[in-house]
Amino acid sequence: MGREAEFPLVSVDGRAGDASRLWPLLMEEGCQPIRDQVPGGPPGAVIGVRGPGWQCLVEVGRCTVEVVVGPRPSLHDLQRDADRALSMVLPAARRAGYRLLGYGIQPRTRPGPSVLAPKRRYAVMRRATGDRWLRWGVTASDQIHVAVSRDEVIPVLNALNGLSGAVIALTANSSVYGGRPGRYASGREGLMEDATGEAYRHGALPRSFADMEDWVRFVLGFRCLFLPDGRGGFREPGRPMVDVIGGRPDLEAFLFHDHYVWPSARPRARLGTMEIRPACQQPPHESWAAAALAAGLAEEHRQAWVLVEDRFGPSGWDALLAVRRRAVRSGIRLGEEDRRFLGEVVGLAERGLAARGLGEEHLLDPVQARLERGEGPADVARRTAARGGPLALADALALG
């Protein structure tokens, strides 16, 4: 498994920082630069650094840093690598006058062109999708990759997308954004839902899938936003990918296109993994809660699907989408029936981790505590901001 943990980078006043100021400081400590690379073109600007067993990269927004660790066999191994990374990244951030937050969105800064990271493909993406896509520049997710076999791809895809509402309810942590409490407990999911103007390209999926061909046909139906032109630039077809490739299958083109479709769980063919993505970044002392929840559910994906069918019936996808909508808006503060469902989901994740025999299940303790309190990180964030504003929220959620 592997983890891609994104963190908002903020200045002392809680406004968006600039990750490019970290790279020289980290390279002084022996880290190696990572440069923007477009197929067929020369290396571009430094967009991150590589350390022993980890990488730190700028995300869509120059105010979001992503710490990448893995592949490793356990969550504990990933945790050790991530701790080593943060032991270097956090001091560099402090030297630059910044802090990293255990939070899912910038608390003060609104989306806009000024936050866009200096990656060449992002300018093309903005042209292809419009300014709504800039919302991605202020969000911070916590993504985990789990290894899957060919036979597991579709069952895991269906189970984890079906349960995405439960994952969001238990991990929502982006309720204060643009300087004030918002209408969503998971602001990052709520704001990103229509970021590309195509339904179901980001977040929820409209249905379950029968097999791999069914999934590939679904992905091919989305507009091809851009493709490398082989000369260091991009071409922008602007029509469904199935029309772009026509009768001549092009695996490399498909894999590039597939990277720009973002359901809550998606197969990553190059890696042989399922990437599970609906969770916000978690509060500092509960940082591994989302990764543990997703890993446990992936381990128990077959029983997870049995739970879905038992509770909602074999044609219950619309009910699952309704749970997801409620979770994005309300987080863990759902009705009694939904809360019982959340308890069953957490129980499945605990059993999945316990069955691995690695002692990872204790990482779910914060999730269980949220259920018992009936209060999640989104609720705490709103209360903190109501008392002291977004700067108090940044103070409360700063790492290190």
Side-chain angles (χ1 to χ4, degrees):
M1 58 180 69
R3 185 188 182 205
E4 300 175 9
E6 300 173 1
F7 301 94
L9 184 72
V10 301
S11 60
V12 292
D13 66 359
R15 299 184 190 277
D18 184 350
S20 66
R21 293 181 57 188
L22 304 186
W23 313 143
L25 301 176
L26 287 164
M27 286 188 285
E28 286 176 9
E29 300 297 322
C31 295
Q32 299 302 307
I34 300 172
R35 295 185 177 275
D36 186 24
Q37 186 71 57
V38 177
V46 175
I47 57 170
V49 297
R50 181 179 289 105
W54 57 271
Q55 298 178 43
C56 183
L57 302 157
V58 68
E59 251 300 316
V60 176
R62 63 176 67 239
C63 52
T64 311
V65 298
E66 180 181 62
V67 175
V68 181
V69 290
R72 300 285 267 164
S74 77
L75 292 170
H76 296 311
D77 294 312
L78 292 177
Q79 190 172 24
R80 284 189 286 270
D81 289 345
D83 287 347
R84 279 194 288 269
L86 290 172
S87 72
M88 297 187 70
V89 175
L90 291 177
R94 285 193 289 270
R95 286 176 61 192
Y98 295 139
R99 297 181 289 182
L100 271 65
L101 303 185
Y103 193 53
I105 199 166
Q106 284 284 328
R108 297 191 70 174
T109 301
R110 296 176 181 272
S114 64
V115 303
L116 201 62
K119 296 183 183 179
R120 286 168 284 188
R121 65 181 182 272
Y122 289 163
V124 183
M125 175 73 87
R126 185 183 174 195
R127 284 201 305 270
T129 61
D131 283 351
R132 285 177 299 186
W133 184 76
L134 294 173
R135 299 172 189 173
W136 215 312
V138 297
T139 64
S141 64
D142 194 341
Q143 302 161 14
I144 185 169
H145 289 250
V146 295
V148 290
S149 67
R150 287 189 179 191
D151 291 342
E152 291 173 326
V153 172
I154 297 304
V156 176
L157 174 77
N158 287 335
L160 271 296
N161 279 293
L163 294 177
S164 64
V167 173
I168 291 167
L170 294 161
T171 61
N173 188 32
S174 51
S175 54
V176 177
Y177 44 93
R180 58 187 176 83
R183 60 176 175 156
Y184 300 115
S186 178
R188 55 172 294 278
E189 284 291 329
L191 295 174
M192 288 302 300
E193 183 177 357
D194 63 345
T196 65
E198 290 178 276
Y200 301 114
R201 187 160 192 153
H202 179 278
L205 289 175
R207 58 183 177 85
S208 60
F209 293 84
D211 52 32
M212 186 65 78
E213 181 177 348
D214 189 20
W215 169 249
V216 170
R217 288 186 183 279
F218 175 77
V219 172
L220 288 173
F222 287 107
R223 181 164 53 105
C224 180
L225 302 176
F226 58 104
L227 290 171
D229 64 8
R231 302 185 300 277
F234 298 98
R235 57 189 178 95
E236 301 169 47
R239 59 189 192 275
M241 188 64 180
V242 68
D243 295 337
V244 174
I245 63 173
R248 295 174 296 179
D250 185 333
L251 179 60
E252 286 303 313
F254 172 80
L255 292 176
F256 190 93
H257 166 74
D258 177 60
H259 187 69
Y260 296 96
V261 179
W262 304 275
S264 288
R266 62 175 183 168
R268 306 304 297 134
R270 289 191 191 279
L271 302 175
T273 64
M274 187 68 64
E275 179 186 7
I276 305 163
R277 5 179 341 107
C280 294
Q281 186 52 245
Q282 300 295 284
H285 299 297
E286 303 176 358
S287 182
W288 288 85
L293 180 63
L297 292 175
E299 190 74 23
E300 280 287 285
H301 66 275
R302 297 192 187 280
Q303 283 304 117
W305 194 247
V306 170
L307 169 63
V308 165
E309 292 194 328
D310 285 349
R311 179 166 281 273
F312 300 106
S315 302
W317 200 265
D318 287 345
L320 292 169
L321 291 177
V323 172
R324 194 181 198 283
R325 288 191 294 271
R326 292 193 292 270
V328 169
R329 184 173 293 275
S330 302
I332 207 168
R333 291 187 177 274
L334 301 176
E336 186 176 341
E337 280 297 312
D338 285 342
R339 291 282 300 282
R340 276 200 289 268
F341 177 50
L342 296 184
E344 292 170 325
V345 169
V346 174
L348 274 178
E350 287 179 333
R351 289 194 292 276
L353 292 180
R356 286 165 54 80
L358 300 172
E360 299 162 313
E361 58 271 20
H362 78 89
L363 296 172
L364 280 172
D365 289 350
V367 178
Q368 193 64 257
R370 295 168 194 178
L371 266 181
E372 293 170 1
R373 291 194 311 268
E375 180 180 67
D379 305 305
V380 177
R382 283 184 172 133
R383 187 169 65 246
T384 303
R387 291 174 178 169
L391 183 54
L393 180 64
D395 289 340
L397 293 173
L399 275 65

